[in-house]
Amino acid sequence: MIGTHIIITAISFFAIFAMVYFMRGHYSTEELLLTVMVATSNAGTLLLYLSNTVGEALISNKVMYVGGIFIMYLVFLIICDIVNIKIPNWVRIVLVALSFFTLALVLSTGYNDLYYKTESLKVIKNSYGITEFKKSYGPLHIIFLILLYGEFLACLAITIASLMRKNASRRYTITVLVALVFCAAVDVIDRIMDFPIDPMPFAYILVEGILFSLCYVIREFDMSENEYNILEKMSQYGYITFNKSGRYVNSNPFAKETFPELNDIRLDSHITENYPTFYNEIMLWIKNWGGRKSVEKIIELNGRYLSCTLKHITSGANKDNIGYLVEFTDETESRNHIRLLTETNSNLEEANALLEEQKDLAEKYSQDAANANKAKSAFLANMSHEIRTPINTIMGMNTMILRESPNDDITKYANNIETSSKYLLDIINDILDFSKVESGKLDISEDEYNLYDVLKDAYLSLRTAADAKGLKVIVNNDAYLPTKLKGDAIRVKQILLNIISNSVKYTADGAITLSVGGVKADNVFTLKVSVQDTGMGIKQENLSKIFDSFQRADNENRGIEGTGLGLAISKRFAQAMKGDISVRSLYGVGSTFTFTVPQEIVDETPLGRFTGNDQPDKSSHKSYAPSIIAKNANILVVDDAEMNIEMIKILLKKTQINIDSANNGIMAIKMCKEKHYDLIFMDDLMPYMDGVQAFRKLKETDHLNKTTPVVMLTANAVRGQKERYLAEGFNDYLSKPVPAEALEETIRKYIH
């Protein structure tokens, strides 16, 4: 019996030697301490068996306790490490404190009766010649029992809890559980059967060996914290790790998202035929892989393509292989794109033959389309020019009639001519604006403007139209409207005028109500304008097409003038400015049109109440006095239409300015070389040499008029042309028909 225990004790001390000299760096502090404590406890037990006196037995018992008191505590720490459970520091401190307190009680035996009763200590030799140490326990022995069995139960509890976790290693956990149950069983059997020698040293050796083996296997695949964190955060790559035995170790979130079944696979599991084909592919790949370099492979699985890379995971200075890392990306989408591109390319190759056959025809159609676009642009420019030119003459001559005729009937007729001319201009502008919208060339400008001026112009237009039909005008506005805004004032006013015009057209009696408000958010003011009428209204089935091009909501209203473009253009303008326009209507009662546009606030000083006191001039006669008289001033008017030249001469008759004329660019250049002019008005579309070409020639060489201001006066009034002419270098721009006031104002700007 003693010989067997001598062998057990020798094995215990050899384990210490083996760890220090042969396993350097492959064990933890807790494992080394457990080996030392087991050896110390076994040595104490062996000395006890050989004791002959109470004194020798007492010393041997103290040696046995020096090791034994910490064995279960160290087993507890190692098991926690195996099942990956963190122990709070305060728990460690309490357990160590209780262990040292119990050890102090044991070491002080003979001086007090707290742990052992001194008078009960004695030794006897059993039938095997082994010394048995007889003693009675004191009151504080219960602390040792609570500590011992508490640590054992804690080990048992965390092992069972770990076994219930999905990501736990079932094999490791069951092994730990078996070792604990075995140790407990040995202790219980010993207490029941009273063996001649203590069997616990054998149990200690067995449990120690089991725990060390598990720790070694687990540590065999021990990635550094930094490496693990890098793999964990890889969002566009999936990774799955295996130890060198082919058991599953870990995977990152991307892999678990790609393969949800990974959440149900326990750590340290063997991949079997019960798992998806992907893992069987990996296992076969690992089995047939003999090299150390990384290899790549495309795995097709259920219609998905995974681009995989197999790598060794190494550890230590010698780069020993401790496992495998399978890194993959899902290439399914890119593969599908490639397949689609391949199929598309094949279709394109087939279609290419047909395209080659129709190449000449396609080129012909393309040329025809280009010519059609050019023709359309040329047609619009020519239409603007050709219609505005006679209107320019009509309105100019009509202005002279209003200025000079003393007859009320004649001036009344002249007022009607002026109204009709402006209406005709509105139609032309609608067509040109609609054409720009349709071609995607609509320009939105961002300039500061006074909101009062916009409302005033809209009100005057409304009042004039309403008075002509005997309609009442009502104005409501928010007194806290900002004074100045930034946006496209021209487009805002155009929308408003279109709505007003539409409401007046379809209202025979009653009232037109103009309401202005808005909402402020940060530095943006969403302007909201409504025009409500008491007109004929719109049928519900026609509301959906009210903003369609060239459409009227009700074809019964055939006597209503207009192109049907005003509301359609207003809708496009509002949307281009990131706003909108809507309508509410009740047939036979009236309609309300509302538009909103966001504008930047420049000056948020309250506008105050807009009363609409600005009344249009209703008098038949308009008194006129020239704003400038310049007898010594000389101007040159270049225009191919004699009526336009004559009209300008008549409008400027009372200014006493000397006016020369040329009907094309070539003649204008010749005249500029012979006489100095204070100002030149230049038309654009002229025969032989247009206005832009003539302007460039004037600026190329030195002559009498190289620095003379040149104003573009043209019927080409498509939006955006002014900017083009100013960029070319013209000093100013006027569009035909030009108001007499604007003509004189421009002359006063350049002639002092």
Side-chain angles (χ1 to χ4, degrees):
M1 293 288 186
I2 292 178
T4 302
H5 197 80
I6 291 173
I7 294 173
I8 293 296
T9 304
I11 292 174
S12 301
F13 280 96
F14 178 76
I16 298 175
F17 175 80
M19 290 181 71
V20 173
Y21 287 96
F22 299 115
M23 298 175 61
R24 187 174 301 173
H26 289 275
Y27 57 83
S28 66
T29 303
E30 289 83 0
E31 293 169 37
L32 179 61
L33 287 175
L34 179 60
T35 307
V36 173
M37 294 305 169
V38 169
T40 303
S41 178
N42 289 346
T45 303
L46 179 61
L47 292 175
L48 179 63
Y49 291 160
L50 299 176
S51 299
N52 294 311
T53 64
V54 172
E56 292 175 352
L58 189 58
I59 294 173
S60 301
N61 186 71
K62 292 178 180 180
V63 173
M64 183 176 63
Y65 264 90
V66 169
I69 195 71
F70 295 104
I71 289 177
M72 188 53 67
Y73 168 68
L74 293 169
V75 168
F76 172 68
L77 295 181
I78 293 172
I79 290 176
C80 288
D81 189 47
I82 291 175
V83 299
N84 196 26
I85 291 180
K86 301 288 186 181
I87 302 300
N89 288 332
W90 69 267
V91 174
R92 294 172 180 264
I93 293 172
V94 170
L95 293 178
V96 171
L98 289 175
S99 298
F100 274 107
F101 178 70
T102 303
L103 181 61
L105 292 175
V106 173
L107 295 179
S108 63
T109 300
Y111 300 98
N112 60 69
D113 294 330
L114 296 175
Y115 196 84
Y116 292 125
K117 295 180 179 179
T118 304
E119 69 276 3
S120 68
L121 300 176
K122 60 182 179 178
V123 294
I124 62 172
K125 291 285 186 177
N126 62 21
S127 58
Y128 296 98
I130 297 174
T131 298
E132 294 183 4
F133 189 34
K134 301 295 184 180
K135 62 267 185 187
S136 296
Y137 294 103
L140 295 186
H141 178 67
I142 191 69
I143 295 176
F144 171 70
L145 295 178
I146 293 174
L147 177 64
L148 181 66
Y149 290 111
E151 290 172 337
F152 173 78
L153 291 175
C155 290
L156 195 62
I158 61 177
T159 304
I160 294 174
S162 175
L163 192 61
M164 304 301 293
R165 291 189 305 177
K166 266 187 178 181
N167 62 344
S169 169
R170 182 179 293 273
R171 182 166 62 101
Y172 296 163
T173 311
I174 290 177
T175 304
V176 172
L177 186 61
V178 169
L180 289 174
V181 172
F182 172 77
C183 189
V186 169
D187 183 59
V188 171
I189 293 173
D190 176 48
R191 293 178 184 277
I192 295 175
M193 301 186 65
D194 193 20
F195 289 117
I197 63 172
D198 187 358
M200 289 308 296
F202 298 95
Y204 288 155
I205 288 292
L206 181 61
V207 171
E208 179 186 356
I210 291 173
L211 294 180
F212 286 4
S213 298
L214 292 178
C215 290
Y216 181 80
V217 171
I218 293 172
R219 194 176 295 111
E220 185 182 40
F221 194 92
D222 185 20
M223 298 174 65
S224 71
E225 188 71 18
N226 186 50
E227 289 173 319
Y228 181 80
N229 288 337
I230 292 174
L231 292 175
E232 185 70 20
K233 294 176 181 178
M234 291 168 66
S235 59
Q236 58 182 347
Y237 296 96
Y239 81 83
I240 306 174
T241 52
F242 303 87
N243 64 18
K244 67 180 182 181
S245 299
R247 291 180 178 272
Y248 171 70
V249 175
N250 211 340
S251 57
N252 71 340
F254 183 88
K256 291 177 180 177
E257 182 181 346
T258 306
F259 300 101
E261 58 271 14
L262 280 174
N263 295 295
D264 299 322
I265 299 178
R266 289 183 174 275
L267 303 182
D268 196 46
S269 298
H270 268 305
I271 304 300
T272 67
E273 62 276 2
N274 296 326
Y275 292 106
T277 307
F278 176 62
Y279 306 109
N280 293 328
E281 288 269 5
I282 292 174
M283 289 300 100
L284 184 62
W285 193 11
I286 291 175
K287 182 178 179 181
N288 296 330
W289 182 38
R292 280 192 164 274
K293 293 183 178 180
S294 299
V295 293
E296 297 180 357
K297 183 178 182 181
I298 297 293
I299 295 179
E300 183 179 0
L301 179 66
N302 299 328
R304 300 176 71 181
Y305 295 91
L306 302 176
S307 177
C308 304
T309 303
L310 179 60
K311 302 177 180 179
H312 277 294
I313 299 177
T314 59
S315 178
N318 296 327
K319 300 294 183 180
D320 297 326
N321 179 38
I322 61 172
Y324 305 96
L325 170 67
V326 178
E327 180 182 282
F328 69 88
T329 56
D330 194 336
E331 300 288 341
T332 306
E333 186 174 351
S334 60
R335 284 269 178 155
N336 288 338
H337 286 165
I338 293 174
R339 178 179 55 80
L340 181 61
L341 287 174
T342 302
E343 294 176 357
T344 303
N345 185 60
S346 177
N347 293 334
L348 288 174
E349 289 178 353
E350 294 176 2
N352 187 57
L354 180 61
L355 289 174
E356 286 293 331
E357 295 175 3
Q358 299 182 351
K359 180 179 178 181
D360 293 338
L361 184 60
E363 288 179 352
K364 180 179 179 298
Y365 286 160
S366 177
Q367 186 63 44
D368 290 345
N371 291 337
N373 286 332
K374 290 180 180 179
K376 178 181 177 181
S377 299
F379 169 75
L380 291 173
N382 288 331
M383 184 187 73
S384 173
H385 184 271
E386 294 301 325
I387 296 179
R388 284 175 181 272
T389 295
I391 292 178
N392 181 49
T393 303
I394 293 171
M395 295 184 73
M397 295 301 180
N398 195 63
T399 299
M400 296 306 301
I401 294 174
L402 290 171
R403 284 181 183 177
E404 299 180 356
S405 175
N407 189 303
D408 287 344
D409 289 335
I410 293 176
T411 54
K412 181 178 178 180
Y413 301 149
N415 280 324
N416 291 335
I417 293 173
E418 184 177 39
T419 300
S420 297
S421 299
K422 289 181 178 179
Y423 174 70
L424 184 56
L425 277 178
D426 289 340
I427 293 177
I428 296 171
N429 290 334
D430 281 350
I431 295 173
L432 293 176
D433 285 336
F434 180 76
S435 176
K436 297 208 73 175
V437 168
E438 289 295 296
S439 64
K441 297 179 180 179
L442 179 63
D443 299 317
I444 298 297
S445 62
E446 296 286 337
D447 299 305
E448 297 181 7
Y449 66 91
N450 192 310
L451 182 56
Y452 180 87
D453 293 339
V454 174
L455 296 180
K456 176 183 175 182
D457 291 347
Y459 173 78
L460 291 176
S461 175
L462 171 59
R463 190 59 184 265
T464 300
D467 286 351
K469 298 185 70 173
L471 302 176
K472 183 180 179 181
V473 175
I474 302 171
V475 178
N476 297 317
N477 78 289
D478 185 346
Y480 295 96
L481 290 170
T483 300
K484 286 188 177 181
L485 299 175
K486 185 177 182 180
D488 195 329
I490 295 177
R491 298 302 190 193
V492 172
K493 184 163 64 175
Q494 194 167 353
I495 295 173
L496 184 51
L497 292 176
N498 283 344
I499 296 176
I500 289 173
S501 174
N502 187 79
S503 293
V504 173
K505 280 181 189 178
Y506 291 92
T507 303
D509 56 63
I512 305 291
T513 301
L514 173 64
S515 301
V516 185
V519 178
K520 178 184 176 183
D522 296 329
N523 197 41
V524 175
F525 183 77
T526 302
L527 182 65
K528 181 179 180 181
V529 182
S530 297
V531 178
Q532 181 180 3
D533 63 58
T534 57
M536 61 184 64
I538 306 167
K539 294 178 181 179
Q540 290 299 310
E541 61 267 25
N542 293 328
L543 281 175
S544 60
K545 60 182 181 181
I546 193 67
F547 295 108
D548 290 348
S549 306
F550 303 104
Q551 292 285 336
R552 283 244 176 82
D554 193 341
N555 287 327
E556 297 173 4
N557 304 313
R558 299 184 184 277
I560 303 297
E561 298 176 332
T563 61
L565 290 176
L567 293 180
I569 293 171
S570 297
K571 179 82 169 180
R572 304 293 181 89
F573 284 171
Q575 291 175 340
M577 292 186 288
K578 300 181 180 178
D580 202 1
I581 186 170
S582 60
V583 60
R584 291 183 293 106
S585 184
L586 187 61
Y587 191 66
V589 177
S591 305
T592 301
F593 287 85
T594 302
F595 78 90
T596 57
V597 286
Q599 304 281 273
E600 183 181 339
I601 298 175
V602 177
D603 183 355
E604 58 183 352
T605 303
L607 180 67
R609 289 293 178 186
F610 179 78
T611 61
N613 288 328
D614 302 81
Q615 300 292 331
D617 185 7
K618 299 180 181 179
S619 63
S620 298
H621 297 286
K622 294 183 181 179
S623 59
Y624 165 73
S627 61
I628 180 175
I629 296 177
K631 297 180 180 180
N632 298 321
N634 297 294
I635 67 173
L636 174 64
V637 179
V638 186
D639 199 309
D640 61 325
E642 290 294 336
M643 288 300 297
N644 286 337
I645 296 173
E646 186 64 26
M647 185 271 298
I648 291 177
K649 289 181 178 180
I650 292 173
L651 288 177
L652 298 178
K653 179 172 60 176
K654 291 190 177 183
T655 65
Q656 301 182 29
I657 296 174
N658 301 309
I659 301 174
D660 291 339
S661 64
N663 57 21
N664 59 63
I666 296 174
M667 183 183 296
I669 293 172
K670 180 180 179 182
M671 294 174 67
C672 285
K673 291 179 179 179
E674 298 172 353
K675 180 179 179 179
H676 174 265
Y677 293 101
D678 298 289
L679 183 63
I680 300 173
F681 286 105
M682 181 78 72
D683 187 20
D684 187 7
L685 302 180
M686 297 181 294
Y688 308 117
M689 179 182 290
D690 62 35
V692 174
Q693 293 172 332
F695 175 77
R696 292 172 181 170
K697 289 288 185 181
L698 287 175
K699 299 301 179 180
E700 283 179 1
T701 57
D702 291 332
H703 51 78
L704 296 174
N705 292 280
K706 184 174 179 63
T707 60
T708 299
V710 182
V711 176
M712 172 57 70
L713 177 58
T714 179
N716 187 5
V718 178
R719 189 176 173 92
Q721 291 302 312
K722 176 180 179 180
E723 290 74 14
R724 183 175 74 86
Y725 290 128
L726 294 180
E728 184 68 41
F730 285 89
N731 297 85
D732 216 329
Y733 167 89
L734 289 175
S735 64
K736 300 175 185 176
V738 58
E741 295 82 1
L743 184 63
E744 289 187 12
E745 178 65 27
T746 302
I747 293 173
R748 285 198 308 117
K749 186 189 300 185
Y750 298 102
I751 297 178
H752 306 287

